[in-house]
Every structure is written in structure tokens, then in C-alpha cells.
Amino acid sequence: MSVAQVVVSCLEQLGVKRIYGLIGTSILDFVDAVRDSKIRYISTRHEQVAASMADAEGRLTGKPGVAVVHAGPGFLNSLISVANAYKDSSPLLLISGAVRRRLAGLDSWLEVPQREIVRPIVKATFRIDKPLDAAKIIAEAYSIAASPPQGPVFVEVPEDVWSMSSEPAPCRPVVRPPPVASDEDLRRVAELLSRARRPVLLAGGGVNNEEGAKLLLQLAERWQAPVAVTGNGRGSFPEDHPLFLGRAGFGGGSPVADQALLRADLVLAVGAGLSDVTTYGYNYVPRGDIVAVDLDPLADRRPVPYTLHLYADAVDFLRRLASLGVDVNVDGGWRREIDELRRSWSALLEEALSRRYQGFVNPSKFFHQLDKALPKEIVMVGGQGMHIVYTFDFVRIKAVRGYLAAFNLGAMGFAFPAALGAKLAAPERDVYAVVGDGEFMMTVQDLETAVRERIPVKVIVVNDNSYRVLYARQKAQKMGRVFGTLHANPDFVKLAEAFGVEAMSVSSDDEIPSAVKYITEPSEKPKLLEIKIHPDDLPPMNIEATLKF
């Protein structure tokens, strides 16, 4: 067998069902070998798209998604997506071609120092130089990506190595178990909980799985403790539950969640630490005790006065904590204080819902009505921009891993590709990509991929003809000196139809019911809905904290 065939055989043994990529001479032999396998190869129109599709598969399944890219330019095109996976602890295996070995180090065509470039944003890098090492390296790389804390791993293979003779070998993932909290640490946390009267639970991506979500709900209801989530924690707690406070932090956090964290006498963060995002650049750090249980290797560097930080698996921690029978006595005044925060927040939401614009849709009203029509088991993928805040304010996520976004890097261009990958990984769930017009234009070419590969993703384009976050900041902070933030767009309906995608556009509130019906009804093909909105509409958010970030 050739090295290419051995690598493909190894990936099959590891359970890989799909590989996302864009072909090039340095990976030609590998792609040819995939053709003869049971693995589905998804050809994309840009490497950023391929890697984000693989990233989304990893986020949903908990198993590394796999992408393959051409040497040099193809590799460089994938880096934003690799960084997204790294910042959000998503398991990803990126395989790249490299220049032929005899040309390495000579500043050859297509050559860049790939491993040196990518090393800061991956868990590990590998190079297959010896054909007999191929299976061993792929199995190890996959295992590292899958082991907690999960993340991307990079493997490069010189072009001439793919065709060399090798030997097949057994490939089994060896996923290293995460560290667990000690009994003494559990006892200390139990003591803090028993003394708390104003507790808040903060849930992150580390408990956003079936067992973690079940345990979190069990403990929150036993203690009647309110629950906030980080961005990656959306779906770990049902957002229609009376104990739910909202998403906390910069980029659309709820003031209810933000203020509750700030005022709590104990914040117990599970599956998440307190980052600059959660605390608005460390300007909203909780005043009470802070306990975090997560796998953040940089926790000690963050300016957060943790009472206790446990580098441990959060699901195991919740499982053992639940067995202790800890009692928490939540003060009635704390409940009333939170209820008052909710009333103030509800008034802001109602004000946003009451707005009317001539020739534009009220986006708050659209997402409010969309939420009512969505089934429980959806996956919503949010982009980066002002439009994502409406999905925090008005769309309630009720299923585990029901919301994906590039939360910790903040990169535009993630939502549409990730939605494509999510739909392939979870075909039984409706998948919605909510994108701004600015970011959609960065990956719009892969509408062709959606059509060719028959991926029935639903795309909602929130069109304000601007980079609205910066437009709003220029109006608020630069005395209205608007510059470089307004643009024109193509006709999105005609553009989608040119790719063979069914599309609809709405520009008034009267059209919202038909728009919601259109985008939520079952479809076996991709479809697009454009909602035209006024660039001056601001979604409700914690403005005071946001301006401090």
C-alpha cells in the first residue's frame, strides 16, 4: 500500500466518515486514495470553509473532524478556521501537503514554514517523512485532538511521500482521560456551596453534552440556583427554564446574567473559566467567591481572583458533586433581586419589539417570532457581528450543542461553512446559519458546495449594508465620523438563485409571518432568507459593559 492508502485506511479505522478539502498537487495522491474508500470527500471552494466544516463536525460529535489542504496557499487559507478550533477547544485534524523533500528548505514554490506558523494555534504538529510511520502518526495525531482539552492537531506530508510504499497497521484512538478533582477539592466546594446565599452557576462548553447538561439541570433544580451560560455553553441548560439567566459576557450578553454574576456571593463555573469575554475585559469580575472547574491551561495567567480553580473534568465533577447531597439555601432576597433584573431586561426587549421602520424589517420582531416556530432539536450557527445579538436576545436554545459560533476568536466567516458541516454531522437536526451580509460575502461561493453536496442548510442573511458593530461604534465613539463601514451588496435572492438555491427576501414587518414559515418548513435543499434591516437598529444588550471592553 502507498502512504496515501495507509493514511486513508487508518482514518477509516478511526471512524472518520467525512473529509473536507480543496485539492492541490501536493495532496493529489491522498485525494485519489480517498476516492477508493468508504469516506465521503466533500470538496469545497475555499480552505477556510473546509476547515470550518470539519470544526463544526468536531463540536457536534466530540470526535475530530478532518480537513485536508494543499501546501502553502491552501494551508494559509485554513488558518483562521484552525484558530477558531483552538480558541474554542474543538477537535480538528488538519492534514496538509508539503513540498517534495528534496526541495524543502530552499524557499521553493509553495513552500512556507507550515509547522512553525501553525504551532502556536494547535495542540501538536507532525510530519510524515518515513513511510512506515504513517499509520502511527495519524493515529497519534487523531488521539491528541480527541483527548481533553480537545483542539486542533496538524499533520503535513511531503508531496513525494504520498506515493511511497508503506505497510498498513492497526489504528485505534487512544483518548487520554481528563484529570479529575480530588475528594478534598470536592469537600471544599461543598462547604462554599453550603454557605452561599446568592449563588450563580455558570455553564461552559465543558458541560455542553448529554450527561453534563442532565447533571447541571438536576443540581440547579435541587438547589434552585440560577444558571448563566458562556457562548460555548449555550445548549447546556434549557433557555426556556425559569432558572435560566441568559448568556453572560461581551458580544451580546444579557444584563441579567452579567449583573447576577457580578453580585453573587458564589459563582460556580463548570466547564468554563472567567475570560476577558465573560467579564468584559475583566471589568465585570464577580465580587464574591469564584470557583471554576475546567481544563483551561492558562487560568493562572488571567486576572481573576479565583477562590478555587480546579483543573479537572467538569462532568465528572458534577457527577460526584451530585452524589454528595449538598444543600444550598438560596436567599429569598436574591430571587427577588434577580426577578427585578429580569423585569428591567424584559422592558428593554419589549421596547425593541415595538420598533417600526419604513422599508425595513424589525429584526427583534423577526427573531422573536422565529423562536416560537423552531423545534427543540435545532442547531443554530451564529456569525460575528451585531446580528448575532438578536439570536441571544430572542432565540431560546433548548438542546445540547444547539448553538455554535466562533466565540473566543471572534472571526467572521465561520457561520455558513460551520452550518454546512453541522448539517452533515447531524442530518436529523434542522441547521440554521445566521449571518450578516458582510461575513456572508466572505464565504458565499460555497453555496455551490451546498447545492452540489445536497446539504439542506437554512441560511438567514441579516442585511444592513454595513459592518454594523464598527458603524455603531463610530457613531457613538467617533462623533459620527462614519468611515469604511458602509457598503453595497448584490441582490442576494438573484445571487442565491444563480447558485441554484431557493431564496426569499423581506423588507417589512408584515412579511415576517410568511418569512418564518418559509425558512422553517421542511426542505431537502438549501434555502436562503434575506431580511433587510436598518443599520441604526441596535439590539438590546449590556451597553455600559460593552463600551468598557
Side-chain angles (χ1 to χ4, degrees), residues 19 32 40 131 141 169 186 289 291 301 310 318 347 363 504 517:
I19 294 175
D32 183 68
R40 180 178 176 182
L186 276 166
D289 287 319
V291 175
R301 300 186 191 178
L310 308 182
L318 288 181
M504 175 182 183
K517 182 176 184 297

Side-chain angles (χ1 to χ4, degrees), residues 1 8 18 20 68 75 77 136 188 221 232 281 376 382 476:
M1 296 176 71
V8 171
R18 286 164 294 273
Y20 308 92
V68 61
F75 159 79
N77 275 343
K136 174 186 172 184
R188 293 172 64 190
E221 289 185 336
N232 286 319
K376 177 182 177 181

Side-chain angles (χ1 to χ4, degrees), residues 199-243:
V200 171
L201 304 179
L202 176 65
V207 294
N208 201 350
N209 52 61
E210 293 295 339
E211 185 182 5
K214 182 179 179 181
L215 289 165
L216 179 65
L217 178 61
Q218 175 187 333
L219 288 173
E221 289 185 336
R222 181 200 297 177
W223 299 333
Q224 285 299 291
V227 179
V229 296
T230 66
N232 286 319
R234 292 199 76 187
S236 62
F237 194 82
E239 297 185 359
D240 57 349
H241 195 284
L243 289 171

Side-chain angles (χ1 to χ4, degrees), residues 353 361-372 380 390 394-395 432 434 460-462 506 508-509 511-517 519-520 529-531 533:
L353 290 169
V361 172
N362 178 343
S364 296
K365 189 175 293 185
F366 168 79
F367 282 102
H368 180 63
Q369 294 190 25
L370 175 67
D371 173 68
K372 295 178 180 179
M380 182 166 283
Y390 299 107
F394 297 104
V395 177
Y432 293 81
V434 181
I460 300 173
V461 182
V462 184
V506 293
S508 75
D509 290 353
E511 299 173 289
I512 289 178
S514 60
V516 169
K517 182 176 184 297
I519 201 63
T520 56
L529 171 67
E530 175 194 28
I531 63 168
I533 74 166

Side-chain angles (χ1 to χ4, degrees), residues 423-497:
K423 185 61 181 176
L424 290 173
E428 73 284 358
R429 300 172 76 170
D430 277 347
V431 177
Y432 293 81
V434 181
V435 296
D437 54 303
E439 82 160 327
F440 187 48
M441 289 295 288
M442 297 177 178
T443 57
V444 69
Q445 73 283 336
D446 276 85
L447 283 173
E448 188 276 331
T449 301
V451 172
R452 169 173 33 86
E453 296 292 340
R454 299 179 181 176
I455 308 173
V457 71
K458 299 177 178 183
V459 182
I460 300 173
V461 182
V462 184
N463 182 8
D464 52 33
N465 289 293
S466 68
Y467 296 118
R468 190 158 41 124
V469 170
L470 284 306
Y471 169 78
R473 281 188 176 266
Q474 286 175 336
K475 295 193 75 174
Q477 296 174 295
K478 298 297 179 184
M479 301 177 66
R481 288 162 54 85
V482 174
F483 184 71
T485 52
L486 297 176
H487 52 246
N489 281 309
D491 184 319
F492 281 113
V493 170
K494 289 182 179 179
L495 181 61
E497 290 174 345

Side-chain angles (χ1 to χ4, degrees), residues 9 16 20 37 52 139 159 191 283 310 510 522 546 549:
S9 172
V16 173
Y20 308 92
S37 74
S52 283
E159 181 181 342
E191 287 179 359
N283 289 305
L310 308 182
D510 294 339
T546 297
F549 188 82

